[in-house]
Amino acid sequence: MSTRIGARAGAVLLLAALSLAAAPAPPQPEEIPLSPAQILLFETPHLQAIDHPVLLDYAFHREGPGALDDQITERIDEIHPDGTKHVSVNFLSGDHHEFFPAVDNFHGNPLLMFFLEHDVLQMRAQFGIPAAYFRDRVRAAFIDRAPIEDVSITIDGKPAPARRITMRPFADDARFANLPAVRNKTYIFVLVDALPGMLQDLRTDMPADPSVNAPALSEEILFKGERP
């Protein structure tokens, strides 16, 4: 199997595994209610205010091993009559580029799931544990370990109301009992209603672990603006 085919297959599996932000499915009997974090991140129409094709630009910043400043461009290619969108993404550039397939009939912002898949693949490469394990832990954390708080952030020099979700998916994971850096890895999601696509900041922070000589590592995606 070629690298490109493998990347495509992995990305398609991601869409099926996470089932994020597509047009909502009808509720099923005895279905467990979604948490506030799940609703905000995966059931909210982040792209609702976009009514014409547009590009959304994001800055990518990594501190720690492999430090990197790069960019991500999300293209809203088509707006369907029901308000859903066809969305494609150019995730990083050059040798750092990661392929993700375009998605269709989306209400939410798929950049969130691309960010999460990028993260679990990084974790797999770092620790040699299957990506599915990390996906499951992150998905489970959204259920009851992802509180939302109202905050104020600064955009273009002005305060703007926002909502911030913070979670630590591996805090009680016995598998990482001897890796406190992983147990203390923090995920932060900041959403601003007034921004196109609503996602203002996506971030992970993993502290240094002097016991194994591991430096701190953080990655962040920040909204920069929109253009035709």
Side-chain angles (χ1 to χ4, degrees):
M1 178 182 291
S2 71
T3 301
R4 176 53 60 88
I5 292 174
R8 287 176 182 270
V12 170
L13 286 173
L14 154 72
L15 302 186
L18 293 180
S19 301
L20 305 181
Q28 301 298 315
E30 299 183 7
E31 195 172 69
I32 298 174
L34 296 177
S35 71
Q38 288 174 309
I39 292 171
L40 180 57
L41 291 173
F42 306 133
E43 294 291 327
T44 297
H46 307 132
L47 304 177
Q48 185 174 30
I50 298 175
D51 59 6
H52 60 280
V54 68
L55 297 176
L56 304 181
D57 291 322
Y58 299 84
F60 177 90
H61 178 68
R62 178 190 298 138
E63 291 186 10
L68 176 68
D69 284 300
D70 207 330
Q71 60 187 5
I72 296 169
T73 301
E74 189 173 43
R75 182 187 298 273
I76 313 303
D77 298 301
E78 186 177 354
I79 291 86
H80 300 306
D82 65 355
T84 61
K85 274 75 174 178
H86 182 279
V87 186
S88 56
V89 66
N90 191 17
F91 197 100
L92 307 181
S93 62
D95 293 340
H96 302 287
H97 180 261
E98 297 177 25
F99 171 80
F100 292 106
V103 296
D104 203 2
N105 300 312
F106 257 55
H107 287 292
N109 190 335
L111 180 62
L112 171 63
M113 69 181 183
F114 298 148
F115 172 70
L116 290 173
E117 181 65 3
H118 162 83
D119 175 71
V120 300
L121 293 179
Q122 294 284 324
M123 296 278 281
R124 180 187 68 183
Q126 186 173 2
F127 299 105
I129 296 171
Y133 181 83
F134 294 112
R135 289 191 196 104
D136 287 345
R137 296 296 295 181
V138 170
R139 185 167 51 235
F142 285 122
I143 297 173
D144 57 5
R145 285 170 285 160
I148 302 173
E149 57 182 324
D150 293 323
V151 297
S152 179
I153 65 170
T154 301
I155 299 177
D156 296 330
K158 299 178 181 179
R163 285 164 290 177
R164 181 170 61 206
I165 296 171
T166 305
M167 68 180 195
R168 291 167 53 204
F170 314 108
D172 59 354
D173 193 329
R175 191 166 193 167
F176 301 113
N178 296 321
L179 291 172
V182 179
R183 281 196 156 192
N184 290 313
K185 183 173 182 176
T186 304
Y187 291 68
I188 299 170
F189 312 89
V190 179
L191 294 91
V192 179
D193 291 348
L195 292 181
M198 287 181 62
L199 301 182
Q200 188 268 339
D201 190 2
L202 307 174
R203 181 182 177 97
T204 60
D205 287 308
M206 190 159 63
D209 186 353
S211 67
V212 293
N213 223 16
L217 176 64
S218 68
E219 292 191 331
E220 185 172 35
I221 294 175
L222 275 172
F223 179 79
K224 299 303 291 183
E226 64 175 321
R227 54 194 169 97

